[in-house]
Amino acid sequence: MREAIPDQILTAAGALFYKEGIRAVGIDRIIEEANVAKATLYRHFPSKDHLVAAYLQARHDRVIRSLEDVTEAAMAPRDKIKLIFERLHEKADSPEFRGCAFALAVAEHGDSERVVSVARTHKTMVRDIFSAIMSKANSGSQQASAHLSLLYEGALATVAVGRDPSAVLIARDCALSVFDMAVSTKQPS
C-alpha cells in the first residue's frame, strides 16, 4: 500500500531536515525527494514553517510513544530509567545521529513560534515522563525529575557535539544515582 501523500512529504522532509538542517533544505529539494508537485506540497503544508512544525510533531509523537512504551512496561521504575537511557544510547551510537531534533530546529528556526511551541511541548512531556516514573517509585520529587530530564537532554547535546555515544551511558549512571538518592531520601508517609 502506498504511503499517504502528507506522510510521503513528511518522511522526505524529515529525513532531509534532520540530516542536513532545516535552512539548508529548500522546498524544491523536498518536492524532488517526495516526488510530488509543488502545488501538492503546498496543499498539505501551506508554508515551510508548517512543514517543519509537522515534522517535529511527527517526531515528537514517535519519541513520546517510545518513552511511554517503557513507562508502561512491567518493570521496576529504576529499570525503566535505565532502559530509557540505554535506548537513547542505541540511537546515539549511529553515524546518522545528530542530536536532539528539537534543539536543532530551535537553533535554526527559533524565530518560528510554531516550531518553538512543538519543541517546548516535547521537552515538557519528556520531563513529565520522568515525573511519572518517579511517582511510581513513591518519590514524586520534582527536583529528581528535573535532574533526570536534564541528564537526558544533556546527553543528547553532548553526543551531538562530542560525537561520543558513551556520554549517554555516563548520563545513565548519573540518572540511576539521582534515582537512588531520591528514593532513599524520601520522607516516610
Side-chain angles (χ1 to χ4, degrees), residues 11 13 23 27 31 45-46 51 53 56 59 65 81 102-103 105 113 119 121 130 136 141 152 166 174 179-180 183 187:
T11 298
R23 294 204 189 278
I27 291 297
I31 289 166
F45 304 99
L51 182 58
L56 289 175
R59 194 166 189 107
R65 196 169 31 254
I81 291 170
F102 303 93
E113 184 52 40
T121 297
F130 284 115
K136 294 280 188 203
S141 169
Y152 184 86
S166 69
C174 293
F179 177 86
D180 293 343
V183 171
Q187 299 298 319

Side-chain angles (χ1 to χ4, degrees), residues 88 97-100 103 151-163 167:
L88 180 58
F97 188 79
R98 292 188 60 229
C100 176
L151 285 163
Y152 184 86
E153 300 301 335
L156 284 164
T158 301
V159 173
V161 173
R163 309 306 303 159

Side-chain angles (χ1 to χ4, degrees), residues 123-136:
K123 299 300 182 186
T124 298
M125 287 189 74
V126 169
R127 188 178 60 244
D128 290 348
I129 285 169
F130 284 115
S131 291
I133 293 170
M134 292 308 296
S135 291
K136 294 280 188 203

Side-chain angles (χ1 to χ4, degrees), residues 10-104:
L10 275 177
T11 298
L16 290 169
F17 288 157
Y18 188 73
K19 181 179 181 185
E20 299 177 22
I22 293 167
R23 294 204 189 278
V25 176
I27 291 297
D28 289 337
R29 178 94 184 281
I30 295 166
I31 289 166
E32 180 184 320
E33 288 291 320
N35 197 25
V36 296
K38 188 176 273 194
T40 301
L41 182 137
Y42 283 119
R43 186 173 337 112
H44 295 286
F45 304 99
S47 68
K48 185 175 180 182
D49 191 52
H50 284 86
L51 182 58
V52 172
Y55 146 67
L56 289 175
Q57 185 62 51
R59 194 166 189 107
H60 164 77
D61 294 343
R62 268 192 326 273
V63 170
I64 295 301
R65 196 169 31 254
S66 174
L67 291 171
E68 287 174 342
D69 287 347
V70 173
T71 63
E72 293 166 5
M75 60 176 60
R78 188 178 195 280
D79 293 334
K80 292 177 183 187
I81 291 170
K82 183 178 179 188
L83 183 57
I84 286 171
F85 280 89
E86 287 174 352
R87 284 186 175 178
L88 180 58
H89 177 258
E90 287 173 19
K91 290 178 194 170
D93 196 17
S94 160
E96 293 83 34
F97 188 79
R98 292 188 60 229
C100 176
F102 303 93
L104 293 169

